[in-house]
Amino acid sequence: MNRRICLCLLQRSNTSFIQLNDNGYEGIIIAIDPAVPEDETLIEQIKADVLVAPPTLPGRDEPYTKQFTACEEKGEYIHLTPDFVLGKKQDAYGPSGRLFVHEWAHLRWGVFDEYNDDEPFYSASSKKIEATRHGHFNCITGINRVYKCQGDSCITSRCKTDSKTKLYEKDCQFFPDKYQTEKASIMFMQSIDSNYNRLNRMNQAAKHFLLQTVENGSWVGMVHFDSSASIISNLIQISSSSERNKLLESLPTRAGGGTSICSGIRTGFQVIRSLYSQIDGSEIVLLTDGEDSSAKTCIEEVTNSGAIIHFIALGENADEAVIEMSIVTGGSHFYASDVAENNGLIDSFAALTSGNTGASQQSLQLESKGLKLNSNAWMNGTVVIDSTVGKDTFFLITWNQQSPTISLWDPNGTPMENFTVDTDSKMAYLNIPGNAKVNNQLLDVLANLFYSLQAKVDTEILTVTVNSRAANSSVPPITMNAKMNKDTNSFPSPMIVYAEILQGYLPILGANVTAVIESQSGKTEVLELLDNGAGNIEGNPPRPETDEDIQTNLESFTRTATGGAFVVSNVPAGSLPDLYPPSQITDLEATSDEDEIRLTWTAPGDNFDVGKVQQYIIRTSGSILDLRDNFDDALQVNTTDLLPNEANSKETFVFKPGNISEENATHIFIAIQSVDKSNLTSKISNIAQVPLFVPQADEDPLHPDDSRPNSGVSVSTVVLSVVGSVVVVAVVLSTTICILSKKKNSSRPRTGF
């Protein structure tokens, strides 16, 4: 290691040898303190005029610039620790490159920080208390909170106003949002990650909504709002692409400061009243990522208006009053996190189809997929165009940094080109008008379109969304609806996911269905929804068996639908206690084979229908009432050799029944109870039965001598229809349901909405 570097900087001079040449710096002096162990990696990582030395205090690796002089005058040197240079402290202090630029501004130009630890808040001209921070209109967004920890337990509470200073109390802190619409804030918050540009994502979703989701004949206007609201477009009727493009040109290009939701809604009412005297039944789509404590002041006005408010919350800070508006007006409430690869924002807009048009005119979502990729990596997929769709098929590709390589092939392997590329909004789209065709021929039933996207840079985020409409107005398309059992809930009451798949009014049973539950942080959980009777829904009596002749017999298909957002309160911090027992077994069946009884059922889970139970308790009785009312006193079957399988597996168990104590018993009745690892027990299963004698067929009075075969064992089964259940572990979540493919028909009773 060349020790001369150290000596040069320690013998500081007022004269700087640094020169700017061809947009690069020359003559930079680098120093490494002798106390730092020799490490070649340090040399490779050093960027500029710095002193690399141990932290001033143990564990305090935050970079700083030694600076005595006034603004605009050069500082002394930048102090970096070895761990910071080696990239070990990025989680604590942000990206090293951005942080170095922050310190370089101190060193080279004497720029001061744009925050004040001594006076963190001030009274703004807007008559609001604002955090001292960078930028015009305080464009760095965030929330003010008190955050206190004791041991491993931390709590967050709202800030209180000090009666003397009229500002927030001393424990109040400003917590910047993780992702900002502002591209950079070098001197306030150099760790801002501008890769997640909310404004751009909002525009991508809005463009998809205007280009594809809004039906022809609809009247659409546009209002922008921040601290105030303005009319961008009065109501215009959508009849062609020209009206859609006019609205696209009106989308915002920058975000202002503040959020006044009531101003936005009132201005929306003004737009509607310019064409209609009454706003009753009108629909407003409200998209906001801001916190507005004043939103509650117009709840009554909105409720009395008769308008329907659909609310899409981008990020975690939307005010609860806005959620209440959507609920009381009968609107939809959606949530999209800042994790762009989940595609939640576009999915939310895609779910806002009008209830005033038939299914044949509505845009149906076939595909929604996103991935984070490194440079040159590929994202591949297949979109199934089934026989019920194929008209006005729309492909949307979005990216985060640089336009990817886009390839789309028809079923014959012919490239489908002519994508419209919007570099400003970082999206490309292709519309196949009319019914999808290949070489001027309609696509065959079950046509597959294949796509491949190649990322050009590291940590790129790519998404694909595909929509289509009904191929024939006289043939109902396959549709799918998704919903939760509640909009709001309180822990530990579980949330239940429902999905209903129809063609017209006819059910489609036996489809492969998955639900993606997204938390407010963007973490996802994937659940398989079943229609085989497993689950935890109570109070649904068995319905008559659905005749397979009236069910649709269809080819493979895909559908995606968003089930809205829900809020769960009182979720404890840290690990959750095991409060959820296994789900009830509802499909127990029993058959006899000489002196043995064979049982079959669907395995429940450790928590409802997720995981694996610890053991089964099987009991028998000669009295169905005794078994039902006194299960614990009934004769227990030895199940030592019965090892439970994962939830939703088919279980089989064979045993020899013991002696039945009840006199004159004609049947053996059997029931099962499941036990999980926390010793929580399920409800008693449905009761199955096998006879203790061979039933004889009734003698035919017209042919008394005819010999007839025995009718066999009579088994009584109670089946409870269940779609699925989920254990809630977060506070605010959203649901997306994906239909993957159609399996064979099932004769299980159908549970509808």
Side-chain angles (χ1 to χ4, degrees), residues 565-581:
F566 57 93
V567 179
V568 179
S569 59
N570 300 322
V571 179
S575 59
L576 299 175
D578 187 356
L579 301 175
Y580 303 106

Side-chain angles (χ1 to χ4, degrees), residues 724-746:
S725 62
V726 57
V727 178
V728 177
V729 297
V731 177
V732 182
L733 307 93
S734 65
T735 311
T736 300
I737 309 294
C738 303
I739 305 300
L740 300 181
S741 65
K742 172 71 174 65
K743 299 197 301 184
K744 64 182 180 180
N745 284 334
S746 167

Side-chain angles (χ1 to χ4, degrees), residues 293-588:
S293 60
S294 66
K296 59 180 178 291
T297 62
C298 61
I299 290 181
E300 184 177 358
E301 178 183 352
V302 171
T303 303
N304 294 335
S305 72
I308 300 170
I309 306 297
H310 303 293
F311 175 43
I312 302 176
L314 177 56
E316 306 175 11
N317 301 324
D319 196 272
E320 293 181 1
V322 193
I323 300 175
E324 184 180 348
M325 285 183 194
S326 65
I327 295 174
V328 298
T329 63
S332 301
H333 167 216
F334 301 99
Y335 168 77
S337 73
D338 282 307
V339 180
E341 59 263 39
N342 290 344
N343 212 24
L345 194 53
I346 291 176
D347 289 346
S348 298
F349 267 105
L352 293 173
T353 55
S354 173
N356 298 323
T357 59
S360 62
Q361 300 180 49
Q362 294 177 359
S363 178
L364 304 175
Q365 195 167 4
L366 310 184
E367 177 87 333
S368 176
K369 182 179 180 181
L371 286 177
K372 181 180 288 187
L373 302 171
N374 286 325
S375 181
N376 298 320
W378 290 88
M379 174 177 166
N380 304 310
T382 302
V383 180
V384 178
I385 308 294
D386 60 86
S387 62
T388 70
V389 294
K391 183 179 180 181
D392 296 335
T393 303
F394 187 86
F395 279 79
L396 173 66
I397 313 295
T398 72
W399 57 90
N400 196 44
Q401 300 178 65
Q402 187 174 335
S403 175
T405 299
I406 302 174
S407 301
L408 177 65
W409 297 275
D410 66 28
N412 296 330
T414 304
M416 304 179 72
E417 300 174 341
N418 300 321
F419 272 84
T420 299
V421 179
D422 183 347
T423 55
D424 291 336
S425 296
K426 299 180 180 179
M427 58 186 283
Y429 54 90
L430 173 66
N431 186 42
I432 307 174
N435 285 333
K437 295 183 178 181
V438 176
N439 297 328
N440 293 322
Q441 298 293 320
L442 288 177
L443 288 177
D444 293 333
V445 173
L446 190 59
N448 293 334
L449 302 180
F450 309 95
Y451 64 84
S452 290
L453 309 176
Q454 185 182 33
K456 298 287 187 63
V457 295
D458 285 339
T459 62
E460 180 64 278
I461 296 175
L462 303 179
T463 72
V464 176
T465 307
V466 183
N467 290 69
S468 191
R469 301 184 196 274
N472 190 328
S473 59
S474 63
V475 178
I478 299 172
T479 60
M480 200 272 296
N481 297 312
K483 65 177 294 184
M484 306 300 298
N485 63 323
K486 298 178 180 179
D487 294 319
T488 58
N489 205 351
S490 178
F491 181 86
S493 177
M495 298 296 299
I496 303 174
V497 185
Y498 296 92
E500 183 182 48
I501 313 154
L502 304 171
Q503 185 178 16
Y505 294 102
L506 296 180
I508 297 175
L509 304 182
N512 293 328
V513 185
T514 57
V516 180
I517 312 297
E518 181 184 14
S519 72
Q520 62 187 136
S521 65
K523 182 181 178 181
T524 58
E525 294 285 343
V526 179
L527 300 173
E528 179 185 2
L529 303 189
L530 307 172
D531 67 1
N532 64 356
N536 193 56
I537 299 178
E538 300 179 7
N540 287 334
R543 297 185 181 183
E545 293 289 330
T546 304
D547 187 349
E548 292 191 2
D549 292 337
I550 67 170
Q551 297 181 42
T552 54
N553 187 15
L554 298 169
E555 72 280 3
S556 295
F557 66 95
T558 62
R559 295 291 185 273
T560 298
T562 299
F566 57 93
V567 179
V568 179
S569 59
N570 300 322
V571 179
S575 59
L576 299 175
D578 187 356
L579 301 175
Y580 303 106
S583 58
Q584 181 186 28
I585 295 171
T586 61
D587 61 348
L588 176 64

Side-chain angles (χ1 to χ4, degrees), residues 467-733:
N467 290 69
S468 191
R469 301 184 196 274
N472 190 328
S473 59
S474 63
V475 178
I478 299 172
T479 60
M480 200 272 296
N481 297 312
K483 65 177 294 184
M484 306 300 298
N485 63 323
K486 298 178 180 179
D487 294 319
T488 58
N489 205 351
S490 178
F491 181 86
S493 177
M495 298 296 299
I496 303 174
V497 185
Y498 296 92
E500 183 182 48
I501 313 154
L502 304 171
Q503 185 178 16
Y505 294 102
L506 296 180
I508 297 175
L509 304 182
N512 293 328
V513 185
T514 57
V516 180
I517 312 297
E518 181 184 14
S519 72
Q520 62 187 136
S521 65
K523 182 181 178 181
T524 58
E525 294 285 343
V526 179
L527 300 173
E528 179 185 2
L529 303 189
L530 307 172
D531 67 1
N532 64 356
N536 193 56
I537 299 178
E538 300 179 7
N540 287 334
R543 297 185 181 183
E545 293 289 330
T546 304
D547 187 349
E548 292 191 2
D549 292 337
I550 67 170
Q551 297 181 42
T552 54
N553 187 15
L554 298 169
E555 72 280 3
S556 295
F557 66 95
T558 62
R559 295 291 185 273
T560 298
T562 299
F566 57 93
V567 179
V568 179
S569 59
N570 300 322
V571 179
S575 59
L576 299 175
D578 187 356
L579 301 175
Y580 303 106
S583 58
Q584 181 186 28
I585 295 171
T586 61
D587 61 348
L588 176 64
E589 295 185 0
T591 57
S592 62
D593 184 8
E594 296 183 351
D595 61 342
E596 293 182 331
I597 295 176
R598 174 180 295 272
L599 302 178
T600 60
W601 67 94
T602 300
D606 180 83
N607 295 310
F608 296 130
D609 56 0
V610 178
K612 182 169 64 175
V613 301
Q614 190 77 11
Q615 69 177 86
Y616 293 113
I617 298 174
I618 302 177
R619 296 183 184 273
T620 65
S621 175
S623 168
I624 188 172
L625 295 179
D626 286 346
L627 185 61
R628 184 194 67 185
D629 299 334
N630 303 290
F631 178 81
D632 293 338
D633 297 330
L635 180 63
Q636 184 170 350
V637 176
N638 186 348
T639 57
T640 304
D641 298 329
L642 177 56
L643 300 178
N645 291 310
E646 287 292 329
N648 309 318
S649 303
K650 202 66 179 177
E651 300 276 32
T652 301
F653 182 65
V654 178
F655 69 99
K656 291 185 177 180
N659 294 326
I660 299 300
S661 59
E662 289 83 358
E663 295 183 2
N664 301 320
T666 59
H667 291 75
I668 296 178
F669 299 95
I670 308 107
I672 302 180
Q673 189 176 51
S674 308
V675 185
D676 69 9
K677 62 180 180 292
S678 299
N679 209 34
L680 299 176
T681 57
S682 70
K683 294 182 179 180
I684 308 301
S685 72
N686 63 287
I687 298 177
Q689 64 181 12
V690 294
L692 294 175
F693 59 92
V694 178
Q696 300 295 321
D698 292 336
E699 188 175 275
D700 188 341
L702 299 178
H703 303 88
D705 297 327
D706 283 355
S707 177
R708 297 177 179 271
N710 293 329
S711 62
V713 177
S714 174
V715 181
S716 174
T717 306
V718 179
V719 180
L720 183 61
S721 300
V722 174
V723 178
S725 62
V726 57
V727 178
V728 177
V729 297
V731 177
V732 182
L733 307 93

